[in-house]
């Protein structure tokens, strides 16, 4: 029961209220407020109300990236006083999250000062400063052109945007997290370039399937990097809006001192800080669940980023210790996806396709409204310019009318009747300055009128033609991705983690012993690395007839899981590869497209690729060839003992194009872009040290370069692909020829070789070539397979025409 007093009555009045109904109504109002006004983001711009108000107010304050920072307390005060009817703590917490690069994939606030870390909170708002980032400008662009609806603030004195224009899909790019009443949301960040590519594909193909979209967005791209193990949960989340995946830290085994081996962690799972990992390691060591660790050192700083060094005791296998750490510490973590967002004012659980559809529709509406606004503005301006041009032609008469008029109203009416002008035109003429009466001013006005007519025509086409509108939206998305996009940070691996086995193993202390089983490491034509696990009785995996289009092998080497191999790059650097860290597949079901991209696994420089793989131990020799025809042999013993060092001194502009292990009966083969092939004995190249620059291998003409170098056997096969360098890429697929290497006579080193293919009229060069054992395979630029013709025994034939361009060549032999 509740009592109320009627102020108009001298006596007290008692009113009966149903407490259950009152509680229900109050709870619903509270739940509504939390869901719609605080906890859940809008699917269109990916922002919660407080975040949207912060960005809008900072934009209104002029806190652009090219201006200085201001105190965060000032921003918080402006937002709280004008837009957000809640406390300053919640506003500052939201501001801090928008500035944390470990929280957002694309930070929206440029913070200056201590904005916290994964283990520590930020400084107070009076100590930190903030301004917008370029990404925020893209979120708030064109707000003054009626692109979105505005609604009143909490006291109906100021208007604020209902949603931001959002030039990119912010909800997918930055993700979000929030807990409402009866529901919650937890969305993973993604790569901007990948998400924009998927959105543009959906614009062009509205009926695109989830698999087609996942070709552009294969998985989340977390701000802190790491490795995602297994993609099944991601696909489930993209399909249903709910799912989970496991992330692992990026770690490597290195020599941390002359006698110490350690595990160096450079990336952690999303939202996991180094102090949390250190505490869990200490707890595991004290409980005797983790053994073999002598020390943990946190070398993380702002300049070099995360670096956690875990020193391993002598006699313990570091790889086994690392597996134990994955099981028992946050070096491996689970992220649960729950894509709940507001759509048309109501919470919905959305998959990848639905999220993109909502954003694409929003962006189409923004561009349509902006075009309508600009069209009206330009039509109004053209109307005034045309009136001014009429007045300038007969300016003497205009002046006479104005001088003879008694007042402004009379002058306006006389101008309208005399020159058939509208009221806005006559008013504009009356405000005309005398300096606009020059001849040059008239030329400027005529030029402006022409420009306005062209712009009006373009805007009318956008508004009248839906396809033209889609083209504008797609083009603007592409421009945004080019200006704001960054490379992927998180590695996606198809290898999965057996959670049940990991939990069972965690209950008992591990022996930290891991069998060093034989395996092979293979490199595909699309620069993917994979480990092929072999049984003790196997030496080479059997070629599978069901391999995908990505499985053209360009280099393969036998090793064991705990024995590092080397990857020689096109810039002559030797990088160490740990087979244990690569995704593994059984020898009976090899699929290189299930491996890991080399650029995600190794520290490759921009434009750098892996040329071939090499052993790091043994008494073998390897051969290296460059595109300028230089050849070099060196023993494995002379290779550098540290990853990243050079094994050949390259001249400016020269690149390594291939190489491999040299056996006693094998030969070296060069193929040049002017269709010459040279095979010569490997014994004619004397071994040199790692710092040497090699010797002349093939005599190449001045306007040509070597396109292939490798170690070959007389029974190998040669594939060459001709092309026209004067045509656009993809318009002429060229011709391809497959020939036995035995058809080419051997020559001496430093000669020009013999013709490998006759170039027909319109063909300029051999674009791609390959020599090797096994069945040759060809791929397009995207990794899709290409058919090759039958073997042609004639060495200088012109080849056969192909329907699709061939970008990569390799073998099916591992």
């Amino acid at each position: 029961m509740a009592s109320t007093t009627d102020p108009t009555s001298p006596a007290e009045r008692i009113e009966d209220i149903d407490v259950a109904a009152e509680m229900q109504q109050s709870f619903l109002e509270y739940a509504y407020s939390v869901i719609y006004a605080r906890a859940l983001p809008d699917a269109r711009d990916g922002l919660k109300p407080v975040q949207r108000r912060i960005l809008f107010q900072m934009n209104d304050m002029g806190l652009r990236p090219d201006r200085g920072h201001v105190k965060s307390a000032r921003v918080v005060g402006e937002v709280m006083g004008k837009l957000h009817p809640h406390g300053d703590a919640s506003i500052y917490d939201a501001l801090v999250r928008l500035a944390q690069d470990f929280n957002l994939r694309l930070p929206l606030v440029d913070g200056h000062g201590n904005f916290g870390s994964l283990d520590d909170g930020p400084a107070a708002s009076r100590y930190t400063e903030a301004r917008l980032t370029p990404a925020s400008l893209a979120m708030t662009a064109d707000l003054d052109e009626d692109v979105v609806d505005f609604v009143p603030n909490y006291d109906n004195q100021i208007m604020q945007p209902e949603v931001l224009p959002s030039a990119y899909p912010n909800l997918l790019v930055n993700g979000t997290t929030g807990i409402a009443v009866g529901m919650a949301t937890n969305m993973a960040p993604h790569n901007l370039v990948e998400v924009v590519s998927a959105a543009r594909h959906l614009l062009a193909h509205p009926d695109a399937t989830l698999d087609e979209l996942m070709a552009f967005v294969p998985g989340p791209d977390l701000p802190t990097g790491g490795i995602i193990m297994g993609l099944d949960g991601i696909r489930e989340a993209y399909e249903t809006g709910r799912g989970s995946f496991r992330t692992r830290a990026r770690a490597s085994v290195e020599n941390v001192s002359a006698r110490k081996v350690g595990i160096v962690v450079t990336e952690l799972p999303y939202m996991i800080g180094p102090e949390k990992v250190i505490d869990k390691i200490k707890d595991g060591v004290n409980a005797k669940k983790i053994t073999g660790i002598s020390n943990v050192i946190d070398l993380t700083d702002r300049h070099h980023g995360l670096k956690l060094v875990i020193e391993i005791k002598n006699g313990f296998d570091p790889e086994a210790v690392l597996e134990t750490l994955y099981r028992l510490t946050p070096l491996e973590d689970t992220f649960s996806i729950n894509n709940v967002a507001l759509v048309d004012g109501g919470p919905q659980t959305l998959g990848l396709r639905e999220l993109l559809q909502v954003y694409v529709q929003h962006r189409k509406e923004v561009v349509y409204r902006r075009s309508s606004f600009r069209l009206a503005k330009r039509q109004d301006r053209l109307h005034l310019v045309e009136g001014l041009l009429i007045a300038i032609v007969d300016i003497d008469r205009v002046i006479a009318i104005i001088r003879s008029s008694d007042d402004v109203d009379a002058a306006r009416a006389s101008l309208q009747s005399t020159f058939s002008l509208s009221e806005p035109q006559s008013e504009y003429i009356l405000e005309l300055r005398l300096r606009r009466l020059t001849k040059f001013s008239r030329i400027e006005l005529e030029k402006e009128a022409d420009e306005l007519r062209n712009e009006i025509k373009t805007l009318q086409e956008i508004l009248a033609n839906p396809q033209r509108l889609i083209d504008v939206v797609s083009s603007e998305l592409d421009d945004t991705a080019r200006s704001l996009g960054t490379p992927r940070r998180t590695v996606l691996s198809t290898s999965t983690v057996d959670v049940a086995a990991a939990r069972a193993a965690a209950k008992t202390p591990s022996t930290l012993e891991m069998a060093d089983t034989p395996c092979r490491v293979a490199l595909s034509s699309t620069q993917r690395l994979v480990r092929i696990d072999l049984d003790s009785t196997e030496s080479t995996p059997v070629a599978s007839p069901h391999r995908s289009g990505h499985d053209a092998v360009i280099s393969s080497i036998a090793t064991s899981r705990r024995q590092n191999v080397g990857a020689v790059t096109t810039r002559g650097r030797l990088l160490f590869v740990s087979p244990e860290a690569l995704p593994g597949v059984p020898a009976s079901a090899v699929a290189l497209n299930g491996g890991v991209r080399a650029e995600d696994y190794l520290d490759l420089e921009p434009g750098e690729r892996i040329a071939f793989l090499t052993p790091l131990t043994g008494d073998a020799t390897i051969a290296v060839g460059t595109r300028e025809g230089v050849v070099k042999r060196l023993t494995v013993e002379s290779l550098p003992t540290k990853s990243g060092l050079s094994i050949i001194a390259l001249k400016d502009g020269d690149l390594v194009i291939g190489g491999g292990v040299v056996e006693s009966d094998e030969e070296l083969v060069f193929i040049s872009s002017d269709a010459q092939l040279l095979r010569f004995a490997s014994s004619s190249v004397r071994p040199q040290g790692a710092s040497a620059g090699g010797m002349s291998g093939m005599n190449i003409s001045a306007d040509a370069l070597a396109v292939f170098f490798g170690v070959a056997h007389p029974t190998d096969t040669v594939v060459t692909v001709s092309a026209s360098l004067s045509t656009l890429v993809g318009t002429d697929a060229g011709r391809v020829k497959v020939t036995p290497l035995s058809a080419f006579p051997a020559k001496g080193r430093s000669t020009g070789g013999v013709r490998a293919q006759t170039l027909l009229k319109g063909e300029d060069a051999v674009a791609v070539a390959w020599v090797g054992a096994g069945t040759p395979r060809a791929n397009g630029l995207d990794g899709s397979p290409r058919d090759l013709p039958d073997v042609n025994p004639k060495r200088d034939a012109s080849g056969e025409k192909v329907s699709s361009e061939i970008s990569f060549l390799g073998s099916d032999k591992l």
Side-chain angles (χ1 to χ4, degrees):
M1 302 288 290
S3 65
T4 61
T5 300
D6 187 356
T8 64
S9 174
E12 185 180 75
R13 181 169 60 88
I14 305 298
E15 182 179 346
D16 291 335
I17 296 176
D18 187 346
V19 175
E22 178 67 20
M23 290 295 294
Q24 182 180 17
Q25 181 63 28
S26 299
F27 180 79
L28 289 176
E29 291 178 359
Y30 167 72
Y32 180 88
S33 174
V34 172
I35 292 171
Y36 294 93
R38 300 185 71 172
L40 295 184
D42 193 297
R44 294 170 291 178
D45 62 3
L47 297 174
K48 301 176 185 178
V50 63
Q51 297 171 328
R52 186 179 304 113
R53 290 163 182 165
I54 289 172
L55 296 183
F56 172 69
Q57 188 60 44
M58 291 181 70
N59 182 70
D60 191 57
M61 294 168 65
L63 304 182
R64 302 173 61 84
D66 55 351
R67 299 181 182 178
H69 297 78
V70 302
K71 286 290 185 181
S72 299
R74 178 182 168 192
V75 176
V76 171
E78 290 285 324
V79 174
M80 182 171 59
K82 294 181 178 180
L83 303 175
H84 198 61
H86 300 283
D88 58 340
S90 62
I91 299 174
Y92 186 54
D93 287 345
L95 175 67
V96 166
R97 187 181 187 278
L98 293 174
Q100 292 175 334
D101 57 0
F102 55 83
N103 227 323
L104 301 187
R105 187 62 179 82
L106 200 63
L108 300 175
V109 171
D110 178 11
H112 182 68
N114 179 14
F115 273 80
S117 67
L118 287 165
D119 297 308
D120 297 309
S125 60
R126 62 184 179 273
Y127 297 121
T128 62
E129 298 177 337
R131 65 183 178 188
L132 295 177
T133 64
S136 297
L137 296 185
M139 292 289 294
T140 58
D142 307 324
L143 267 177
D144 57 345
E145 295 186 290
D146 191 35
V147 292
V148 295
D149 293 333
F150 276 67
V151 295
N153 71 332
Y154 60 88
D155 59 1
N156 293 321
Q157 293 187 10
I158 300 174
M159 300 298 288
Q160 60 181 332
E162 182 184 47
V163 66
L164 293 186
S166 187
Y168 58 88
N170 178 64
L171 186 57
L172 277 166
V173 172
N174 279 324
T176 190
T177 182
I179 300 176
V181 178
M183 62 185 67
T185 183
N186 197 36
M187 303 181 67
H190 291 76
N191 186 272
L192 172 65
V193 177
E194 296 176 353
V195 172
V196 166
S197 297
R200 296 183 67 203
H201 182 77
L202 188 61
L203 277 167
H205 306 87
D207 297 328
T209 63
L210 176 61
D211 290 332
E212 291 176 2
L213 296 177
M214 286 190 66
F216 299 96
V217 186
D221 186 22
L222 307 176
T224 53
I227 304 171
I228 292 179
M229 307 297 292
L231 306 181
D232 293 342
I234 294 175
R235 195 190 189 293
E236 180 183 0
Y238 285 169
E239 183 175 8
T240 66
R242 296 175 182 268
S244 64
F245 59 87
R246 298 185 71 83
T247 58
R248 277 188 172 183
R250 189 190 289 254
S252 60
V253 177
E254 301 180 9
N255 291 323
V256 296
S257 65
R259 297 183 179 180
K260 277 281 185 182
V261 175
I263 299 170
V264 179
V265 180
T266 55
E267 293 177 2
L268 288 174
Y270 187 43
M271 301 307 295
I272 298 296
E275 289 187 11
K276 184 177 182 180
V277 175
I278 294 173
D279 290 342
K280 286 294 184 179
I281 292 176
K282 290 180 179 179
D283 293 343
V285 171
N286 293 335
K288 300 188 184 301
K289 292 183 178 180
I290 302 176
T291 57
I293 296 177
S294 61
N295 194 14
V296 181
I297 306 172
D298 186 5
L299 301 178
T300 304
D301 60 44
R302 294 185 179 181
H303 300 289
H304 301 91
L306 175 72
K307 187 173 183 180
L308 197 63
V309 179
I310 304 171
E311 295 184 355
I312 306 300
K313 294 179 180 179
N314 293 333
F316 284 83
D317 179 10
E319 299 289 352
V321 174
L322 179 58
E323 287 297 323
T324 302
L325 293 176
Y326 281 142
R327 292 199 307 269
L328 302 177
T329 71
L331 287 181
E332 182 175 289
D333 195 35
T334 299
F335 186 95
S336 297
I337 297 176
N338 188 22
N339 295 337
V340 178
L342 298 177
V343 179
D344 296 330
Q348 293 186 21
T349 303
L350 307 172
L352 175 64
R353 190 173 187 275
E354 291 75 22
L355 285 168
L356 289 172
Q357 283 178 326
V358 172
Y359 172 77
V360 164
Q361 183 60 35
H362 168 61
R363 195 59 194 167
K364 288 165 66 176
E365 293 175 2
V366 166
V367 174
Y368 187 90
R369 292 181 60 164
R370 184 188 65 194
S371 300
S372 300
F373 179 87
R374 291 179 178 178
L375 176 62
K377 286 291 185 181
R378 280 151 182 77
Q379 287 175 336
D380 292 344
R381 176 60 184 170
L382 179 61
H383 184 63
L384 296 178
V385 171
E386 289 174 340
L388 192 56
L389 283 171
I390 293 174
I392 290 179
V393 171
D394 199 357
I395 191 62
D396 293 335
R397 190 177 178 188
V398 170
I399 295 173
I401 291 174
I402 295 174
R403 292 188 64 183
S404 62
S405 300
D406 295 333
D407 52 27
V408 174
D409 292 337
R412 184 186 304 112
S414 298
L415 289 174
Q416 288 180 238
S417 61
T418 303
F419 296 99
S420 300
L421 299 175
S422 66
E423 183 175 343
Q425 286 176 323
S426 60
E427 184 67 31
Y428 189 64
I429 292 172
L430 289 174
E431 297 175 356
L432 179 67
R433 294 185 179 184
L434 293 177
R435 67 181 183 183
R436 300 296 302 273
L437 301 180
T438 63
K439 181 179 179 181
F440 183 71
S441 177
R442 179 180 177 181
I443 295 174
E444 284 183 329
L445 288 171
E446 290 175 346
K447 181 180 178 181
E448 182 183 0
D450 291 338
E451 291 176 351
L452 287 170
R453 292 187 186 97
N454 290 333
E455 292 179 7
I456 289 172
K457 181 180 179 182
T458 300
L459 292 170
Q460 288 174 337
E461 290 176 354
I462 293 174
L463 295 173
N465 187 348
Q467 184 58 48
R468 185 76 175 88
L469 176 67
I470 290 174
D471 292 341
V472 173
V473 174
S474 180
S475 176
E476 291 182 355
L477 281 171
D478 185 49
D479 292 340
T480 302
R482 290 178 183 275
S483 61
L484 300 177
T486 56
R488 167 172 279 275
R489 297 176 186 173
T490 302
V491 177
L492 301 176
S493 174
T494 54
S495 297
T496 58
V497 178
D498 190 338
V499 179
R503 289 176 179 173
K507 294 180 181 179
T508 57
S510 173
T511 61
L512 304 187
E513 293 292 336
M514 184 179 295
D516 192 15
T517 57
C519 66
R520 293 188 73 87
V521 175
L523 172 68
S524 75
S525 60
T526 51
Q527 292 286 288
R528 285 182 175 269
L529 290 164
V530 71
R531 184 188 74 239
I532 301 99
D533 295 323
L534 308 175
D535 295 334
S536 58
T537 58
E538 293 178 306
S539 59
T540 304
V542 179
S544 170
H546 303 293
R547 292 208 195 128
S548 72
H550 292 285
D551 293 343
V553 181
I554 61 174
S555 185
S556 173
I557 191 167
T559 181
S560 63
R561 290 176 62 131
R562 290 163 52 186
Q563 179 63 54
N564 286 352
V565 299
V568 179
T569 73
T570 51
R571 296 184 181 175
R573 297 194 303 144
L574 178 67
L575 303 178
F576 291 178
V577 178
S578 171
E580 183 60 38
L582 294 175
V585 293
S588 59
V590 177
L592 292 184
N593 62 326
V596 63
R597 294 190 302 180
E599 62 185 23
D600 292 336
Y601 179 73
L602 300 174
D603 294 327
L604 296 174
E605 298 173 356
E608 189 177 25
R609 292 169 57 89
I610 299 179
F612 66 95
L613 302 175
T614 177
L616 297 177
T617 58
D619 55 0
T621 63
I622 63 172
V624 182
T626 76
R627 68 178 181 179
E628 292 187 0
V630 175
V631 65
K632 179 180 179 180
R633 271 184 71 195
L634 65 165
T635 64
V636 171
E637 294 178 347
S638 65
L639 292 176
T641 57
K642 185 177 180 181
S643 181
L645 299 181
S646 176
I647 66 168
I648 182 173
L650 294 173
K651 296 180 181 179
D652 291 342
D654 201 4
L655 295 174
V656 173
I657 58 172
V661 179
V662 180
E663 302 292 345
S664 58
D665 60 341
E666 289 183 320
E667 299 175 316
L668 306 181
V669 178
F670 272 104
I671 299 178
S672 62
S673 59
D674 57 355
Q676 297 295 115
L677 182 148
L678 174 64
R679 53 181 285 211
F680 56 93
S682 58
S683 57
S684 63
V685 183
R686 68 179 186 277
Q688 297 176 304
S691 60
M695 60 186 66
S696 176
M698 182 180 189
N699 188 10
I700 303 176
S701 60
D703 57 347
L705 294 170
V707 295
F708 174 83
F709 172 81
V711 180
H713 190 273
T715 59
D716 287 352
T717 304
V718 179
V719 182
T720 55
V721 181
S722 64
S724 174
L725 303 181
S726 59
T727 59
L728 293 175
V729 175
T731 58
D732 186 1
R735 307 176 75 84
V736 62
K737 183 173 73 71
V738 182
T739 310
L741 179 61
S742 58
F744 300 86
K747 298 287 186 180
R749 180 181 63 82
S750 193
T751 60
V754 297
R755 181 182 298 170
Q757 183 174 353
T758 299
L759 300 179
L760 301 181
K761 184 178 180 181
E763 296 177 344
D764 305 313
V766 169
V768 190
W770 172 83
V771 180
T775 303
R777 290 183 176 271
N779 298 104
L781 188 61
D782 59 351
S784 57
R786 300 285 189 264
D787 293 330
L788 292 175
D790 296 333
V791 175
N792 187 342
K794 188 177 180 182
R795 67 171 179 82
D796 59 349
S798 60
E800 297 184 19
K801 188 72 175 177
V802 290
S803 57
S804 301
E805 184 180 8
I806 294 176
S807 300
F808 304 109
L809 293 169
S811 171
D812 70 339
K813 184 178 180 181
L814 294 166

